[in-house]
Structures are given as C-alpha cells and as structure tokens.
Amino acid sequence: MKTKAPVAKNERLDVTIADLTYQGMGVAKVDDFPLFIENALPGEELTIQVTKVQSHYGFARAITWKTESPDRVKDVDKTYRQTGIAPLQHLAYPAQLKFKQHQIAELFSKDHQDVEVAPTLGMDNPTQYRNKAQVPVRMIKGQLETGFYRQHSHELIPLTDFYIQDPAIDAAIVKVRDILRQFEIPAYNEINDKGVIRNIMVRRGYYSHEMMIVLISRTQKMPSQAQLVDQIHQALPEVTSIVLNVNAKKTNVIMGNVTRTLYGKPTIEDSLLGLTFAISARSFYQVNPQQTEKLYQMAIDKAGLTGKETVIDAYCGIGTISLALAKHAKQVYGVDIVPEAIEDAKVNAQKNHLSNVTFEVDKAETQMAKWQEAGLKPDVVVVDPPRKGLAESLIDATAKMAPKKVVYVSCNPATLVRDVARFQELGYAIDGPIQPVDQFPQTPHVESVTVLVKK
Ligand code: SAH
C-alpha cells in the first residue's frame, strides 16, 4: 500500500533534526515521513526545502538555521562535503567518535541484541591521515585536471588539498598533474571512451616514506612514456615505484588486470607494529596506518595468544594481521581472494623471518570449508571481511571447526550484527565490549573489533 507523502517537492518547512543516518545525513520526520538533509545535525532547528520525494522517504536541502548544534564545526570547506571526501567534517571530532559508538549500539539494539560498545578509539589529529589516494583525471576547458567527483556524479571538481590525505601525497598528485600537462597527455573521456590517463593512484609508506605512483591508462602504453616516468621520479625523490595499470574497459572499476612496473620495484615497503610489508599496486592495504596499529594491537590482545595456538586469518590481504599474530602463535593460516595480495603475503613472511604461516589464494568461504574438511582445528579464527560481511557458509565451517575464539574485525556494523546473530545460533557469545576504532575520521565509516567465544 502506498501512503501519500506529507510533503511535496520544492516545499519549504521548519523542522528539528532528530537523528544522523549512517551516511552522516540529518534526519527530520514529518508525520513519521523521514527527510534526509545533508549538513544538518541532531537537535538543530532549521528551514529546509524538499528536493526529492520517494514513496517512503525524501531528501531536502538546508536553507537557514534557527538553532545550531553545539557540536557544529563552523567555517568548513563545502567542497569536502560535495565530493564526499569528508561528509562529517561539520561535526566536532569527539561527537564523531560518539556517533560511531552509537551507530553500532543502535544496530544491535534494533536486532534485539544486548551488547556493550566501548567508546571509539580516535586520533589525536584526525586529518591528513590517508596513506593512499586514488584520483580521477579529466579535461576541463581543455586543461588536464585532478580532483574528485561531485557526489553521485562524474563531474570532476579540481582539488589540490584533499584534507584527509597525507599532504606529501597531495603534493605528488599536483606534480604528476603538471608533468602530464607538460607532455600534453590527453585525459580519459568517459563519454566517447577516448583519451589516455584515467586515474592516478599514490601510496606512501607512513614510516618508510617510500612512494608508489600508479598511472591508470586506457591504452597499453602512454605517449612519451619514458620521458614521463623520468620526469616523475626526478620531481619526486620519494618515488621508488612507478607502475602502469591498463584499464581499456568502459567501466567505473578503477584498475584493470594488467600492471607493468615502469620504474623501480613493483612494490613499496612500509611497516606496522615493527613488521615490514611489501605492498603491490593492486593489494589491499589499510589506509590509516596510525589507527591500524591500534586496531591490530587490539586484535592481537583480544586473541589472547600464548605461543601454542593454531590461528586462521581469513581475508588476510598481504598478511598484516597473520604475521602480527604469527609472532605469538604456533601456526597461522591465511587466505585471500587476490593472488597479488597472497604473493605479497608470502614475501612478507620471509622478510620478517616468520616460517609458521601458510597462505592460500581462494575465496575465504571455500578455503574455510576445505580446512574444515581437512580436519584443521584452529584455536582462534580472525575474520576481516569487506563491507558485505561473512558468507553464511564461512560461519558454518568456522563453527564446525569449533575455535575457542573468533575475533571479528568489521568495517560495516550492519553486516556485523547479522553475522554475530548467526554465530550466536551456532553456540558463540560476545565476550566483552565491542571496540570501535576510528579508521576513517571525517567520514561516517565505522570499524570495530568484536570477540566471540564458544559457550
Ligand atoms: N586483514 C587485511 C585485509 C582486510 S580487507 C588487512 O588488514 O590489511 C579485506 C580483504 O578481503 C581484502 O584483502 C580482499 O582482497 C579480501 N577479500 C574480499 N572478498 C574475499 C573473499 N570472498 N574471500 C577472501 N578474501 C576476500
């Protein structure tokens, strides 16, 4: 049954913001009909104008404020909201941390699960933290530009300061942009599927300061490639790796399947918790190194290892958690779906002289079932899945192996709630408070560590 919306497009009305969504938008209710409003904070009274009406909710724009939240940060640069780089920058950092803690608690309570959530572990300086940038390159008025898309669009907004990125990375993007301009490299054009350079990816080791530049090209080779590469590493002394990634498809996926090293090594190195890691262009690597150390330390502490345990690290990436745990365990098994990540993981085990780790390339759900059928009996299972969370079959295989503990590192509380419920049906219970760790300040992303124990 379709109820008629109590508001119409373009209508202006006065509302009070009741809540903040998990995307960081303010929510106002008009006769129980929710309106989502960007840049509006709980408790604020304001005049809004309705911009879009759907059957069960709508969107509106903030026009004027009658009262402002005491947690509002003034004088923010609206570009960071328009691009979605920092959708929460208008919310004071302590309130962001509370918001994230509250998000997790709320989702569990909606699912009728009674859990304790600890205060979010935050950063001292919650800006300029990202060790990786991935920026689109487009022509604007005949000039090559780098920046970020306006949210929900492919309109490039040129930017030189990305606010949450390592400033050395921001500076590198500008240098690369200028060199691309100098050689008159045409930027990719999505409309006619022509042009060359699509995106630039930059990664910089937080401790090592080694920098990797990935040029993502529609073509197999870039014009003036050799001179271009020469100029880039001369202009940027920290660069130890320049990689070409070819993506010839008409797609929103950033990287293609072909990568070629044009200068230096195919990887850069960085360290976490005193371990060294080689990272290749297509491997996942946590973007906030300072908070990652806190997150991993928490996972290690919560795993409660004594040196005698068998541990599985599902979704292991380049083996960062696996190797950190291997120092305190008898044997560690890791699995990831990306072959390059597992190649990196194997190299990383050697680099750190850890021989008690075994890595497999597979879907975690498939590999878990294989391990279970082979009779593996882990004491601890660590899972760190992408946003979609765990496959039911993975949870089932884990429960059959009956580890004493499951340490769940989650980047999406919605799927965490679902997966925890499944573990509970299979005889596991949450042990101690859930610990959120702020990996993505100024954004609404919520990362947390949950421990489940076998009852
Ligand atoms: N624990 C690692 C990686 C976490 S990110 C770290 O902290 O660095 C999630 C990882 O899951 C990525 O490396 C991704 O390649 C991998 N992945 C995604 N889907 C997967 C699947 N179905 N099976 C196994 N790995 C998967």
Side-chain angles (χ1 to χ4, degrees):
M1 200 180 62
K2 216 167 171 180
T3 44
K4 199 172 157 1
V7 294
K9 190 172 169 173
N10 293 330
E11 186 180 334
R12 285 198 179 199
L13 56 161
D14 294 334
V15 296
T16 304
I17 303 299
D19 205 355
L20 208 54
T21 67
Y22 71 91
Q23 290 134 321
M25 293 181 108
V27 190
K29 291 216 170 141
V30 181
D31 302 338
D32 275 345
F33 185 86
L35 287 170
F36 301 117
I37 306 137
E38 237 176 44
N39 189 27
L41 293 173
E44 291 186 334
E45 299 170 299
L46 63 164
T47 305
I48 59 168
Q49 179 162 22
V50 178
T51 52
K52 194 171 184 176
V53 183
Q54 312 270 43
S55 46
H56 298 290
Y57 57 89
F59 293 91
R61 190 159 51 89
I63 305 282
T64 47
W65 276 257
K66 238 186 254 137
T67 60
E68 284 191 350
S69 165
D71 292 325
R72 175 170 287 280
V73 178
K74 294 212 176 118
D75 304 322
V76 295
D77 183 335
K78 67 178 188 302
T79 319
Y80 301 124
R81 188 173 63 246
Q82 288 168 343
T83 51
I85 287 176
L88 284 188
Q89 61 168 349
H90 59 294
L91 183 62
Y93 192 55
Q96 289 183 26
L97 297 175
K98 280 202 188 115
F99 164 70
K100 294 185 184 193
Q101 176 189 17
H102 178 72
Q103 276 295 313
I104 302 177
E106 224 2 54
L107 285 163
F108 273 99
S109 102
K110 272 190 191 147
D111 197 52
H112 310 291
Q113 297 190 50
D114 185 23
V115 302
E116 194 193 325
V117 184
T120 311
L121 214 59
M123 296 186 83
D124 294 335
N125 172 15
T127 62
Q128 305 188 326
Y129 57 83
R130 281 184 67 100
N131 61 5
K132 175 185 161 180
Q134 212 155 237
V135 301
V137 185
R138 293 292 176 269
M139 285 325 223
I140 298 178
K141 297 191 183 119
Q143 170 143 280
L144 183 142
E145 298 283 0
T146 47
F148 226 72
Y149 292 134
R150 186 183 292 278
Q151 260 191 316
H152 318 296
S153 88
H154 275 200
E155 177 200 338
L156 188 86
I157 300 181
L159 276 175
T160 50
D161 174 355
F162 289 77
Y163 181 56
I164 60 170
Q165 279 167 197
D166 181 339
I169 293 182
D170 290 358
I173 293 169
V174 172
K175 279 259 163 69
V176 174
R177 179 201 69 186
D178 290 346
I179 294 166
L180 291 166
R181 280 181 186 170
Q182 184 194 323
F183 285 94
E184 297 180 350
I185 310 292
Y188 180 62
N189 178 333
E190 286 176 294
I191 297 162
N192 61 15
D193 198 27
K194 295 249 163 60
V196 177
I197 178 91
R198 300 171 71 122
N199 293 78
I200 301 168
M201 198 257 255
V202 183
R203 231 182 211 152
R204 180 176 187 251
Y206 178 72
Y207 290 104
S208 69
H209 296 180
E210 286 188 17
M211 195 182 270
M212 174 187 277
I213 310 278
V214 185
L215 303 168
I216 299 146
S217 164
R218 184 185 65 84
T219 50
Q220 294 293 324
K221 201 166 176 248
M222 307 238 300
S224 320
Q225 189 166 287
Q227 296 99 304
L228 195 72
V229 166
D230 246 26
Q231 288 273 323
I232 292 175
H233 76 79
Q234 276 170 29
L236 297 163
E238 289 185 343
V239 168
T240 55
S241 169
I242 302 177
V243 171
L244 178 78
N245 175 272
V246 181
N247 186 355
K249 291 201 187 127
K250 201 166 191 262
T251 168
N252 283 338
V253 177
I254 294 175
M255 287 217 202
N257 288 327
V258 178
T259 41
R260 269 200 295 277
T261 308
L262 303 181
Y263 169 80
K265 297 176 299 171
T267 54
I268 55 161
E269 272 187 10
D270 196 23
S271 31
L272 284 170
L273 299 176
L275 293 161
T276 309
F277 296 101
I279 312 149
S280 52
R282 295 187 59 209
S283 297
F284 175 89
Y285 185 62
Q286 298 279 357
V287 297
N288 186 334
Q290 300 166 70
Q291 292 300 90
T292 297
E293 291 196 321
K294 292 181 197 167
L295 182 77
Y296 287 178
Q297 193 55 55
M298 187 106 45
I300 294 166
D301 294 346
K302 295 202 175 196
L305 303 176
T306 65
K308 296 201 191 96
E309 292 80 6
T310 300
V311 180
I312 290 179
D313 178 19
Y315 309 90
C316 68
I318 62 167
T320 43
I321 296 180
S322 318
L323 298 181
L325 293 172
K327 292 213 282 189
H328 311 279
K330 189 166 117 220
Q331 184 69 34
V332 179
Y333 296 85
V335 58
D336 200 277
I337 200 170
V338 174
E340 286 94 329
I342 292 298
E343 277 166 37
D344 290 348
K346 288 178 179 167
V347 169
N348 291 333
Q350 282 176 359
K351 258 188 204 303
N352 295 289
H353 313 291
L354 290 162
S355 53
N356 58 336
V357 273
T358 313
F359 291 109
E360 307 285 349
V361 181
D362 211 333
K363 282 189 183 163
E365 49 274 37
T366 315
Q367 187 56 45
M368 277 312 225
K370 284 186 197 160
W371 277 325
Q372 185 252 317
E373 277 155 28
L376 191 68
K377 293 262 175 274
D379 300 284
V380 178
V381 171
V382 179
V383 292
D384 185 5
R387 290 185 56 78
K388 70 174 185 206
L390 302 174
E392 223 175 275
S393 61
L394 182 144
I395 303 178
D396 295 350
T398 304
K400 278 192 194 144
M401 289 189 277
K404 288 190 278 296
K405 259 187 198 175
V406 176
V407 179
Y408 192 140
V409 181
S410 158
C411 60
N412 181 356
T415 51
L416 173 70
V417 169
R418 180 199 68 199
D419 295 343
V420 163
R422 179 84 189 149
F423 271 113
Q424 283 175 336
E425 283 167 25
L426 298 172
Y428 284 81
I430 292 187
D431 186 33
I434 294 173
Q435 178 64 61
V437 180
D438 194 16
Q439 292 278 78
F440 309 99
Q442 319 305 335
T443 84
H445 294 291
V446 183
E447 187 101 7
S448 62
V449 183
T450 304
V451 179
L452 293 148
V453 290
K454 196 168 159 50
K455 282 191 277 193

